[in-house]
Amino acid sequence: MKPVIGISCCMKPFGTYNTPNHAASDTYVRAVDLVVGGLPCLIPAMGERADVHAWLGLVDGLVLTGSRSNVEPARYGGPPHPEGTPEDPARDAVTLPLIRAALAEGVPLLAICRGMQELNVALGGTLDQRIQDLPGRMDHSTPSEQALSAVRIGKAHRVTIRPDSPLAAIVGAAHLAVNSLHNQGIARLAPGLRVEATAPDGTIEAVSVPAATGFALGVQWHPEYDFQTDAASRAIFEAFGKAARDRAAGRAARRPVVLAAE
């Protein structure tokens, strides 16, 4: 049985009339299909109308995607964004309660880029809105208009992984070269999260949830971009996939057996 993997969507305008659409990049769908071995299921950015517990009853794992939009500052008590900063309140209203419910129910969770920031906010942490403006920090962003894919999603810096951590066990290394496409980053780490990796400037690049009963990992970079060529990126999706398949198998084993009438 293929595990059903929920993939968080953004609300984005498309077409001539900027019609609102629920969208997730094909890179996540392909990673779920080709590496996780799962059935991708897009979770729409329905705002407050979303029934997160119903969604979690349908899925065996959850991927929180990256996005150009930033988490609304009101969600973590931060100052307003500068004018023109993209936000997605409809997504925030779905993903933040979805994260808390997924952790409570032991649903495997892989949070990527914005998804890791959502994980931190959902559990009570805060964000820096523009890391590049802080003293002594690197510019972790890549211009969205950069047309050269090799530059836009190529390796940008190294991260140092905490020894004996779950992430170290997954990737089998103490250091990784990663891509970097974000302005926001974790400021105050949420209670219940543990730092798994940091950038040279101290920016938190990966977190885990030690008390979680299921797989729960957040990474600030984008392993979905190069899982076909990068062993560490593939290993992250493989570890998540194993957890999702185990949950799917457990759910199947608990289903009641219906006997046909004679």
Side-chain angles (χ1 to χ4, degrees):
M1 177 183 297
K2 284 189 174 183
V4 178
I5 307 299
I7 301 174
S8 63
C9 285
C10 297
M11 182 65 76
K12 293 185 177 182
F14 278 87
T16 303
Y17 302 106
N18 289 325
T19 305
N21 278 244
H22 301 275
S25 171
D26 180 56
T27 53
Y28 300 101
V29 172
R30 291 172 58 242
V32 166
D33 177 30
L34 299 176
V35 185
V36 174
L39 181 65
C41 176
L42 302 188
I43 299 179
M46 295 175 62
E48 304 291 348
R49 303 188 311 281
D51 186 337
V52 299
H53 292 285
W55 275 109
L56 290 179
L58 298 174
V59 304
D60 303 298
L62 181 63
V63 174
L64 296 169
T65 61
S67 175
R68 286 193 64 205
S69 67
N70 289 353
V71 178
E72 280 193 307
R75 298 283 182 174
Y76 55 88
H81 283 134
E83 186 176 353
T85 301
E87 297 178 347
D88 193 342
R91 170 174 169 151
D92 295 340
V94 174
T95 54
L96 299 184
L98 186 65
I99 288 166
R100 292 188 284 265
L103 293 174
E105 297 182 23
V107 177
L109 173 69
L110 177 58
I112 295 172
C113 197
R114 189 195 207 271
M116 189 182 92
Q117 296 159 13
E118 291 170 333
L119 173 60
N120 189 58
V121 171
L123 299 185
T126 65
L127 302 177
D128 288 318
Q129 296 177 6
R130 283 177 57 87
I131 297 173
Q132 60 267 39
D133 293 343
L134 301 177
R137 304 290 283 276
M138 300 163 47
D139 188 347
H140 287 256
S141 65
T142 298
S144 59
E145 67 271 16
Q146 172 56 256
L148 297 176
S149 177
V151 175
R152 185 167 57 85
I153 64 175
K155 304 302 186 184
H157 61 77
R158 292 212 311 170
V159 299
T160 299
I161 301 173
R162 183 175 59 83
D164 302 320
S165 67
L167 180 59
I170 290 171
V171 302
H175 301 277
L176 285 181
V178 301
N179 51 43
S180 188
L181 296 94
H182 61 104
N183 289 296
Q184 290 196 130
I186 291 177
R188 185 183 72 242
L189 187 69
L193 291 185
R194 182 170 59 194
V195 176
E196 293 283 320
T198 55
D201 64 352
T203 297
I204 296 173
E205 290 281 338
V207 296
S208 65
V209 188
T213 57
F215 181 99
L217 178 69
V219 296
Q220 187 59 74
W221 64 92
H222 288 263
E224 79 280 4
Y225 280 135
D226 60 2
F227 66 86
Q228 291 181 305
T229 58
D230 186 88
S233 294
R234 188 176 187 88
I236 290 170
F237 281 105
E238 288 175 340
F240 168 71
K242 180 182 183 307
R245 289 192 299 274
D246 288 347
R247 181 173 177 83
R251 280 157 44 96
R254 292 191 296 272
R255 291 193 183 106
V257 177
V258 179
L259 300 177
E262 294 184 358

